Amino acid sequence: MSDAPAIEFAGVSRWYGDTVAVADVSFAVGPGVTGLLGHNGAGKSTTLKLCAGFTSPSAGAVRIFGVEPRRNPAVYERVGVVPDQSPPWPFLTAQEVVELCARLHRVADPAAAADRALETVGLDDVAGRKVGGFSHGMRQRVKLAQALAHDPDLLLLDEPLNGLDPAQRREIIAVLHRLGDEGRTVIVSSHVLHEVERMAPQVLVLVSGHLVAEGQTSAIRQLISERPRTVRVAAGGDGRALAGALVDGGVVDAVRFDDGTMEFETGDVERFSRALPALARTTDTLVRRVEPVGDDLESVYAYLHERARGAGR
Amino acid sequence: MIEGKVHDVRFHRYDGPRNGRLAALWSMIRWSTLRALGAKRGWKAKVIPIALTLVAFFPALIVLGLRALFASSISDNLATVLPYSDYAGIVGLVILVFAVVVTPELLCPDRRDGTLALYFATAISRTDYVLGKVLAALLPLLLVTVLPPAILYAGNVLFATHPLGYVQEHTHDIPRIAAAGIAMALYFAFVGLAISSLTGRRAFAVGGYLAFLIVPTIVGGILSNNIEHGENLRLMAFAAVPIHTAEALYPVAPDSGDPSNTAWVLVWLGLIAVSALVLVWRFRGDEA
Amino acid sequence: MIVWPVYRLTLRALLLQRRTILLGLLAAAPVLMALVYAVAAKAGAHHFRFYSHLVQELFVPTIAAVVALVIGVSAIGDEREDGTIYYLVATPQSRLGLIATKIAAAWTATLVLLVPSLVISALLALEGEVDPSSILWPAAGVALATLAYCGVAAWLSLRTRRPIVIGVLYVLLWEGSIATFAASASKLSIAAYGRALVAERLPEAAAPVVGPAPAVVILAAVAAITCWLGARALARVEL
């Protein structure tokens, strides 16, 4: 394997007429599963199309393993792609589709590779049936199988979990984890945030075509810790004394009472966590539970989205 | 969760004013026509209809332009250079291409994008839909069939030494221009819609429509010279049917016979009838 | 050069379509015409002249052109429209190979429809006066012209979203009308070069634009250039 990163974007923009789909995006992605996160229309699909060489950047350069895919098709020997929508040829059987793709990727024994890939996605029992008669979820898995058959080093998956039921989702996520652990580069796009959180330890976050965050999910959370946070506290009694002290001390900006729990909004979590025990003692309040609210990717994303509003379109 | 509120997003009755079925139909006709001509679409979709429309006006504009430029002595001769009866023949090809490009746009996207079912879920019934589309097909066609000779007429009146006298002398030409234009528009609209109703892909409707007009024309042309009593096979010139029908409305044009003007008009009528039947069949009750 | 799995795939897709049946009907039009002639020919009609008209005025410039264009566009355009082209492009196959394969498959399907029609038309129209050259020269003209049309269709289907409309307007308006009036325009007409080959055996009223050898070279060059342009487009356009 060469030293070049699996995917490298250098100042990539892609516009369609007046619409900017991807705006000056630069990043490099190495082994492991990376989530490509963004709302509908944030530029996820365009980014993946650029990665896969299905379209050219209007500015900048896209490189896969150090080369531009559109000029060097040979690099596709190491790449598997699951496009969004686009079911495979309906008149072929699942086996034929996967075998054909394996053959086109110059796999030595396409039939055996197809068998393996179909087994991986759990379609071995319907391999002889025509794709045209498949359900959406089955087609989705055929697409995944054709991308896996040639054992690629880089996998590009556009919304691979669309149309799958929860059990199938779990299976596919397990497959992706395994591929990531094997040292392959896997890029998965999705707008369903908790899914990405389950699939990918690292993410690229796109908002209106701009790359607004990248890296480990937890690291991103750290980087933006200056954002206002909400902490839920369950306290004995009614806790109003504690709340009053926190507000007086300027530790929190807002309080909300709710069925025995309180939600504090604070701009400085560090200070809050230092002040809380002391104030609890002085106000003689029993604190039963302290938990952050909305500290998952969803709220991080919502915050980033809010902050980046006005950028791009 | 803290507290919940269920928003009522169920189906609501619309309580505002209603414009009724005719308004719905008119809205469909209006937008079908405009869209076929390229409204709300990229510039590429507008170029062909607009260019063709302009070309259809060229003969009238050239004659009138020459009359404007040169002295009235020559001008009087120019008035007869381009008789109204010949106009259809001169721009016939332009009208044909215009029809072929514009008409399929009225039906194919609806079928392909599944808009058809949405239409039938509104106040518009299947019959309304078909009638509306026929009207929507006629309107742009009249733009290239009636308007150019009408402009020529208006120009001739303006440039005439005695405008009122010209009108008196040529009163009968007004209904003829209108009738000839409507006859051509009806033919291209019905045949085009019938062929377009068979496919959801606009490209194949365009190709099929052109092939339907051109191939029998060539076949009939070759056969008519080579087989016994082949003259009537000239009637297979589906591309020329509307032109011959339009010309049949002008008594000035001598009936060339073989086939007669009546025969052409019968073919015209027959093809429109068959097309109407195809439309009825394609949009009959049970499936969209 | 030819990627055989893609060739078989494309041929299968093309021959499975309902559209192909309709094109088959179009391809059968000359047969029908020859049949009518065989049954009801005018006394003293010249079989050879009739067959000549059939090939030069109907078969090459209209039937062959439209069939080749529609099939050529389907070969790539349908995959583009359905998104299956992604599965072909995301492979290490050379772009030139992919386009050449698509053109070859479209050409094969075109000839499957056209050659039987041409042969049967000849047999019916000539009524036993058939000599091999009166089928071979037209067949050569049809074959090379359709190869060029398939190339143009492949290139158009990558370069524009409305290849059929543009292609059919070119065939029927430019080649069918303008080029028949203006001699210089026919230099830019694929059908005119196809007819030039046919004219070796079946002369037409107007003199052919070029001799048979240049016609072969030009048609082959059109196919090669459009194939190269198509491969270039495949690496440049939004798929």
Side-chain angles (χ1 to χ4, degrees):
Chain A
M1 231 187 265
S2 60
D3 293 337
I7 296 184
E8 192 187 352
F9 269 48
V12 173
S13 298
R14 179 68 171 103
W15 53 82
Y16 299 91
D18 292 341
T19 313
V20 179
V22 172
D24 195 20
V25 167
S26 299
F27 64 83
V29 172
V33 183
T34 301
L36 187 59
L37 199 55
H39 278 311
N40 289 331
K44 294 187 306 284
S45 278
T46 308
T47 303
L48 273 175
K49 274 179 140 185
L50 286 162
C51 293
F54 296 158
T55 185
S56 302
S58 310
V62 175
R63 287 186 209 94
I64 294 184
F65 298 116
V67 300
E68 286 180 42
R70 300 203 100 181
R71 291 172 181 279
N72 304 278
V75 79
Y76 286 113
E77 223 162 304
R78 300 171 64 189
V79 183
V81 182
V82 175
D84 186 25
Q85 274 142 31
S86 325
W89 304 276
F91 52 86
L92 296 185
T93 66
Q95 176 80 26
E96 285 172 323
V97 168
V98 181
E99 216 177 301
L100 171 70
C101 291
R103 184 163 283 133
L104 293 178
H105 279 97
R106 311 203 169 121
V107 172
D109 185 353
D115 289 342
R116 261 199 320 277
L118 285 165
E119 206 190 319
T120 308
V121 299
L123 283 179
D124 36 344
D125 50 332
V126 289
R129 274 171 51 193
K130 293 229 162 96
V131 176
F134 278 12
S135 72
H136 190 70
M138 288 159 88
R139 277 183 217 162
Q140 202 68 19
R141 284 187 281 159
V142 176
K143 282 159 64 179
L144 192 59
Q146 65 80 28
L148 292 175
H150 55 288
D151 211 17
D153 297 322
L154 168 64
L155 260 170
L156 303 166
L157 308 110
D158 201 351
E159 308 268 358
L161 302 184
N162 263 2
L164 299 186
D165 65 35
Q168 293 164 346
R169 279 163 193 256
R170 265 198 304 282
E171 284 166 32
I172 299 301
I173 289 173
V175 171
L176 297 184
H177 276 305
R178 208 194 66 222
L179 292 166
D181 293 342
E182 287 171 10
R184 295 171 212 276
T185 308
V186 183
I187 307 252
V188 202
S189 86
S190 177
H191 62 277
V192 185
L193 305 161
H194 64 88
E195 259 176 24
V196 172
E197 221 168 11
R198 279 164 63 199
M199 284 189 282
Q202 57 211 358
V203 287
L204 297 166
V205 186
L206 284 172
V207 175
S208 304
H210 294 263
L211 182 65
V212 296
E214 60 180 311
Q216 305 285 322
T217 317
S218 51
I220 290 175
R221 238 183 263 145
Q222 289 289 312
L223 282 172
I224 53 169
S225 59
E226 79 272 18
R227 81 195 164 99
R229 307 276 276 279
T230 308
V231 181
R232 188 181 300 150
V233 176
D238 69 350
R240 278 172 199 278
L242 174 61
L246 283 165
V247 174
D248 287 342
V251 181
V252 298
D253 306 326
V255 189
R256 194 144 72 123
F257 292 94
D258 188 56
D259 260 358
T261 64
M262 295 170 286
E263 279 187 1
F264 296 107
E265 218 165 85
T266 172
D268 188 341
V269 184
E270 288 282 305
R271 194 164 154 226
F272 176 83
S273 51
R274 269 183 279 119
L276 183 67
L279 288 172
R281 241 191 335 270
T282 51
T283 57
D284 199 16
T285 312
L286 175 65
V287 175
R288 283 209 207 89
R289 195 154 42 94
V290 179
E291 60 182 6
V293 175
D295 214 17
D296 55 351
L297 195 47
E298 179 114 25
S299 54
V300 172
Y301 180 71
Y303 170 70
L304 288 171
H305 189 263
E306 195 59 39
R307 210 179 58 161
R309 197 175 265 172
R313 271 166 282 188
Chain B
M1 278 293 108
I2 315 109
E3 50 187 327
K5 177 162 172 31
V6 178
H7 293 279
D8 187 9
V9 293
R10 289 170 304 170
F11 180 76
H12 285 275
R13 277 202 82 80
Y14 170 72
D15 295 321
R18 285 172 188 277
N19 294 326
R21 214 179 104 196
L22 279 179
L25 193 56
W26 172 240
S27 160
M28 186 193 85
I29 295 170
R30 202 175 127 218
W31 282 108
S32 298
T33 307
L34 288 173
R35 231 191 123 67
L37 293 174
K40 307 248 171 196
R41 290 160 70 201
W43 65 270
K44 283 180 198 159
K46 303 184 211 287
V47 165
I48 298 180
I50 291 173
L52 289 171
T53 311
L54 288 179
V55 175
F57 280 97
F58 273 171
L61 295 180
I62 288 170
V63 168
L64 294 177
L66 288 175
R67 292 196 66 176
L69 284 174
F70 297 105
S72 55
S73 55
I74 320 171
S75 180
D76 275 345
N77 295 330
L78 275 168
T80 52
V81 161
L82 181 56
Y84 304 117
S85 57
D86 287 4
Y87 209 98
I90 291 170
V91 297
L93 187 66
V94 179
I95 296 172
L96 185 149
V97 177
F98 183 88
V100 162
V101 173
V102 168
T103 318
E105 184 62 36
L106 294 166
L107 288 187
C108 293
D110 285 353
R111 190 175 287 279
R112 186 162 171 79
D113 305 335
T115 328
L116 214 47
L118 292 182
Y119 271 126
F120 296 153
T122 67
I124 294 170
S125 72
R126 280 156 200 278
T127 322
D128 293 345
Y129 177 83
V130 175
L131 289 178
K133 288 294 183 179
V134 170
L135 257 177
L138 282 174
L139 291 177
L141 281 167
L142 291 173
L143 189 71
V144 288
T145 57
V146 172
L147 218 51
I151 295 277
L152 181 65
Y153 188 93
N156 280 338
V157 171
L158 279 179
F159 288 118
T161 348
H162 307 289
L164 259 170
Y166 185 89
V167 175
Q168 275 168 352
E169 239 175 273
H170 293 87
T171 323
H172 48 270
D173 277 334
I174 296 174
R176 279 184 196 140
I177 287 172
I182 291 169
M184 284 195 286
L186 276 174
Y187 178 86
F188 282 119
F190 269 99
V191 174
L193 288 176
I195 290 170
S196 308
S197 75
L198 300 175
T199 169
R201 300 274 292 259
R202 186 177 163 275
F204 299 112
V206 171
Y209 192 6
L210 256 183
F212 177 82
L213 293 174
I214 305 266
V215 173
T217 305
I218 301 174
V219 172
I222 300 174
L223 274 181
S224 62
N225 292 325
N226 287 289
I227 69 168
E228 214 63 64
H229 311 299
E231 294 76 15
N232 284 328
L233 285 178
R234 289 209 185 98
L235 291 169
M236 280 171 71
F238 294 161
V241 165
I243 295 169
H244 285 292
T245 307
E247 284 172 355
L249 290 164
Y250 292 90
V252 218
D255 190 336
S256 53
D258 253 5
S260 66
N261 278 343
T262 326
W264 284 111
V265 174
L266 283 176
V267 174
W268 173 84
L269 206 61
L271 280 174
I272 289 182
V274 170
S275 303
L277 284 177
V278 169
L279 281 174
V280 169
W281 168 67
R282 283 298 282 173
F283 292 99
R284 71 197 182 279
D286 46 354
E287 51 117 30
Chain C
M1 186 70 169
I2 301 291
V3 188
W4 292 107
V6 176
Y7 177 83
R8 284 192 296 272
L9 172 84
T10 308
L11 211 50
R12 197 165 158 186
L14 289 173
L15 295 178
L16 274 174
Q17 279 168 344
R18 196 174 55 141
R19 194 181 309 148
T20 312
I21 301 171
L22 290 175
L23 286 175
L25 289 178
L26 184 64
V31 174
L32 204 69
M33 186 170 141
L35 189 68
V36 171
Y37 176 78
V39 172
K42 213 183 238 176
H46 196 298
H47 295 341
F48 203 75
R49 196 176 298 144
F50 169 77
Y51 175 62
S52 192
H53 281 300
L54 183 149
V55 175
Q56 295 280 29
E57 288 165 32
L58 179 69
F59 206 101
V60 175
T62 309
I63 306 287
V66 171
V67 170
L69 263 178
V70 173
I71 291 184
V73 165
S74 302
I76 291 179
D78 286 6
E79 299 240 35
R80 227 182 139 195
E81 199 149 310
D82 301 340
T84 44
I85 197 164
Y86 295 141
Y87 303 104
L88 300 181
V89 170
T91 64
Q93 306 297 330
S94 89
R95 309 294 106 163
L96 201 59
L98 286 175
I99 298 295
T101 304
K102 284 290 182 183
I103 294 175
W107 190 40
T108 311
T110 305
L111 293 182
V112 165
L113 292 184
L114 291 180
V115 169
S117 163
L118 180 70
V119 174
I120 299 171
S121 304
L123 294 176
L124 285 171
L126 296 176
E127 289 181 27
E129 298 166 29
V130 189
D131 62 308
S133 70
S134 58
I135 289 182
L136 286 179
W137 277 110
V142 167
L144 275 161
T146 50
L147 179 62
Y149 281 123
C150 285
V152 170
W155 172 58
L156 276 181
S157 60
L158 281 166
R159 271 291 165 197
T160 150
R161 291 276 172 194
R162 33 180 51 189
I164 298 243
V165 176
I166 294 173
V168 167
L169 288 182
Y170 164 76
V171 165
L172 295 178
L173 287 186
W174 178 265
E175 296 193 345
S177 297
I178 297 165
T180 45
F181 300 131
S184 53
S186 65
K187 292 250 191 278
L188 286 175
S189 154
I190 291 172
Y193 294 107
R195 287 206 303 271
L197 271 179
V198 179
E200 271 307 288
R201 185 69 184 84
L202 309 174
E204 52 178 338
V209 274
V210 289
V216 170
V217 172
I218 288 168
L219 290 174
V222 168
I225 290 167
T226 47
C227 179
W228 180 77
L229 285 173
R232 228 171 83 100
L234 193 60
R236 276 156 204 258
V237 302
E238 168 102 15
L239 294 171

